[in-house]
């Protein structure tokens, strides 16, 4: 049953809900017929099947499975556990999909109370719960209470990001200081680019520009295509931060030129990079050019072994916006109608 659960979870991740449902249901029936010694595995099976049922819009059945998982975990840890908190989160998240979301708040507050005792200050699971509480409080007409949780989530995310960036920056600066003149040109580019990236994200733009310029100046024919592309990508992001969209587009084009000249088969990355280039073109008011790149993005995404169709819909939405900016209103309307028709499948 545990193996079936893991395979079902994989199919759920891949978006094959039919196979996920069949395997998840089999796993649940096995545990109902022969209760296992490992109750944690049994609870996980009910939680997984509950999530499958959410995706297939069987909300009441999903709730029953989540509640079963909660009851099992309560018997194992009456005072609470990380697993039980996650089971409460499943229930709370389910209530974002129903007309009466109020009970979900109770489950999420219970989860957050356990997390306060069991998890570090700014743990990602706490952030998720705070974001969900904001959503539910807003739905029940208490947006001011929800905003308190949203502000808490944002503060935690910012603190986590700053902590990670400062650690990364310290490592890059230590490497530059320790290696000094002994660094090869490629090592120089890697460390200076890393420092530039951290400074940019910390909004210390003068320092970011200093290190980025040094990295760009070191580029020559001896540097690997990968490192050149990564450095140009960082240059594009820096220019975008400075709202210098023309140069951001130029550097982004250089990245794609390198990737394509090296016959990259990473279609997912090519798809994302073309989408990013198209978005930059829109910011630079180059909407006709953007349309071509949006099309490239979709075509590469469809070449992936497992295309991300949600990604395709988001790109199509951006196509509609670009067409609207070009005053091609009839074409824009048709694109928006197509996207809405495809998204409506997932709406309640």
């Amino acid at each position: 049953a545990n193996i079936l659960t893991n395979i079902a979870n994989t199919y759920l991740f891949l978006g094959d809900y039919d196979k996920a449902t069949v395997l998840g249901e089999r796993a649940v029936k096995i545990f109902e017929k022969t209760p296992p010694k490992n109750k944690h595995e049994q609870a996980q099976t009910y939680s997984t099947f509950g999530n499958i049922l959410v995706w297939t819009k069987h909300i009441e059945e999903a709730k029953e499975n989540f509640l079963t998982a909660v009851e099992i975990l309560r018997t194992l840890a009456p005072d609470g556990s990380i697993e039980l908190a996650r089971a409460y989160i499943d229930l709370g998240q389910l209530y974002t999909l129903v007309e009466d979301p109020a009970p979900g708040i109770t489950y999420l507050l219970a989860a957050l109370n356990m997390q306060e005792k069991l998890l570090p200050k700014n743990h990602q699971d706490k952030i998720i719960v705070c974001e969900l509480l904001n959503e539910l409080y807003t739905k029940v007409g208490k947006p001011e209470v929800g905003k308190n949780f949203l502000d808490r989530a944002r503060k935690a995310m910012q603190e986590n990001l700053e902590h990670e960036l400062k650690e990364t920056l310290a490592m890059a600066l230590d490497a530059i200081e320790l290696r000094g003149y002994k660094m090869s040109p490629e090592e120089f580019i890697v460390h200076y680019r890393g420092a530039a990236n951290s400074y940019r994200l910390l909004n210390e733009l003068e320092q970011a520009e200093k290190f980025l310029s040094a990295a760009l100046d070191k580029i020559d024919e001896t540097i690997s295509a990968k490192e050149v592309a990564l450095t140009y990508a960082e240059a594009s992001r820096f220019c975008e931060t400075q709202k210098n969209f023309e140069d951001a587009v130029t550097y982004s084009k250089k990245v794609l030129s390198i990737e394509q000249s090296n016959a990259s088969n990473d279609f997912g990355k090519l798809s994302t990079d073309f989408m990013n280039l198209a978005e930059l073109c829109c910011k630079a008011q180059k909407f006709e050019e953007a349309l071509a790149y949006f099309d490239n993005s979709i075509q590469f995404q469809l070449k992936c072994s497992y295309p991300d169709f949600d990604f395709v819909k988001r790109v199509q939405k951006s196509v509609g916006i670009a067409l609207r900016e070009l005053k091609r209103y009839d074409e824009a309307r048709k694109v928006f109608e197509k996207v809405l028709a495809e998204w409506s499948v997932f709406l309640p």
Side-chain angles (χ1 to χ4, degrees):
N2 188 43
I3 293 173
L4 288 173
T5 300
N6 288 326
I7 298 173
N9 209 20
T10 302
Y11 279 122
L12 176 62
F13 176 77
L14 294 173
D16 191 336
Y17 305 125
D18 290 339
K19 289 181 180 177
T21 300
V22 170
L23 294 173
E25 192 169 15
R26 280 180 61 193
V28 166
K29 286 181 177 178
I30 289 172
F31 277 142
E32 287 175 345
K33 186 176 180 180
T34 310
K37 293 180 180 178
N38 190 330
K39 295 291 184 179
H40 292 279
E41 289 184 359
Q42 185 181 21
Q44 182 58 49
T45 293
Y46 281 108
S47 292
T48 297
F49 191 45
N51 278 305
I52 294 167
L53 290 166
V54 168
W55 278 97
T56 55
K57 293 189 175 182
H58 294 88
I59 303 302
E60 284 302 315
E61 291 178 60
K63 183 164 65 174
E64 290 173 11
N65 279 272
F66 288 148
L67 286 169
T68 302
V70 164
E71 289 305 314
I72 293 169
L73 293 168
R74 274 178 179 163
T75 62
L76 295 172
D79 296 328
S81 67
I82 292 173
E83 283 179 287
L84 180 55
R86 286 177 180 157
Y88 278 132
I89 294 169
D90 284 335
L91 273 168
Q93 196 161 19
L94 179 143
Y95 276 94
T96 64
L97 305 172
V98 301
E99 289 185 8
D100 178 18
I105 293 173
T106 302
Y107 291 121
L108 291 173
L109 289 174
L112 189 59
N113 183 51
M114 289 179 204
Q115 290 173 332
E116 296 287 14
K117 301 172 186 175
L118 300 168
L119 295 175
K121 177 185 173 186
N122 291 335
H123 194 279
Q124 182 62 30
D125 283 359
K126 289 185 183 180
I127 293 171
I128 291 169
V129 172
C130 287
E131 289 175 332
L132 288 169
L133 281 167
N134 168 59
E135 184 177 349
L136 290 184
Y137 271 116
T138 301
K139 285 187 173 183
V140 298
K142 296 181 179 179
E144 69 287 349
V145 179
K147 187 176 183 303
N148 290 334
F149 285 103
L150 182 61
D151 289 343
R152 176 176 168 179
R154 287 174 173 170
K155 182 182 178 185
M157 286 189 285
Q158 185 61 33
E159 288 177 357
N160 287 345
L161 177 62
E162 288 181 2
H163 177 72
E164 291 171 11
L165 289 172
K166 286 174 182 177
E167 282 191 342
T168 303
L169 176 60
M171 287 190 288
L173 295 177
D174 284 347
I176 290 169
E177 183 178 354
L178 289 171
R179 295 284 294 163
Y181 66 89
K182 295 179 181 179
M183 283 191 291
S184 69
E186 190 153 309
E187 286 177 315
F188 181 98
I189 285 173
V190 169
H191 294 308
Y192 272 72
R193 184 184 67 235
N197 174 266
S198 295
Y199 276 126
R200 174 177 59 80
L201 293 171
L202 288 166
N203 206 33
E204 296 183 33
L205 299 183
E206 285 187 15
Q207 286 291 88
E209 186 171 20
K210 170 186 166 185
F211 280 87
L212 179 59
S213 295
L216 288 168
D217 288 343
K218 277 285 184 181
I219 291 177
D220 60 27
E221 66 278 358
T222 68
I223 308 302
S224 69
K226 175 187 173 184
E227 296 303 333
V228 174
L230 288 171
T231 306
Y232 285 151
E234 177 57 30
S236 179
R237 289 189 289 269
F238 177 79
C239 291
E240 184 180 5
T241 300
Q242 297 280 65
K243 299 191 184 305
N244 179 1
F245 300 121
E246 291 282 346
D247 286 349
V249 166
T250 299
Y251 280 117
S252 189
K253 285 180 179 178
K254 288 183 177 182
V255 173
L256 276 161
S257 176
I258 292 168
E259 290 178 348
Q260 291 186 295
S261 65
N262 283 275
S264 172
N265 288 321
D266 189 344
F267 298 130
K269 186 174 189 313
L270 284 168
S271 175
T272 300
D273 287 349
F274 268 113
M275 188 270 291
N276 290 336
L277 174 55
E279 296 286 6
L280 286 173
C281 285
C282 288
K283 290 178 180 180
Q285 304 296 300
K286 298 181 176 183
F287 297 107
E288 287 284 2
E289 199 172 345
L291 289 174
Y293 295 132
F294 281 134
D295 184 62
N296 287 334
S297 175
I298 291 172
Q299 296 310 314
F300 277 114
Q301 187 61 227
L302 295 176
K303 287 183 178 181
C304 294
S305 300
Y306 296 99
D308 183 343
F309 292 106
D310 285 339
F311 177 90
V312 171
K313 294 187 196 96
R314 290 195 297 272
V315 177
Q316 288 172 333
K317 179 184 174 185
S318 296
V319 168
I321 293 170
L323 288 167
R324 187 181 64 197
E325 292 295 327
L326 289 167
K327 303 189 187 311
R328 291 158 60 176
Y329 298 120
D330 193 51
E331 293 175 73
R333 177 182 58 79
K334 289 177 182 177
V335 170
F336 287 135
E337 286 175 351
K338 179 182 178 183
V339 173
L340 184 60
E342 291 173 349
W343 268 342
S344 66
V345 175
F346 300 99
L347 295 175

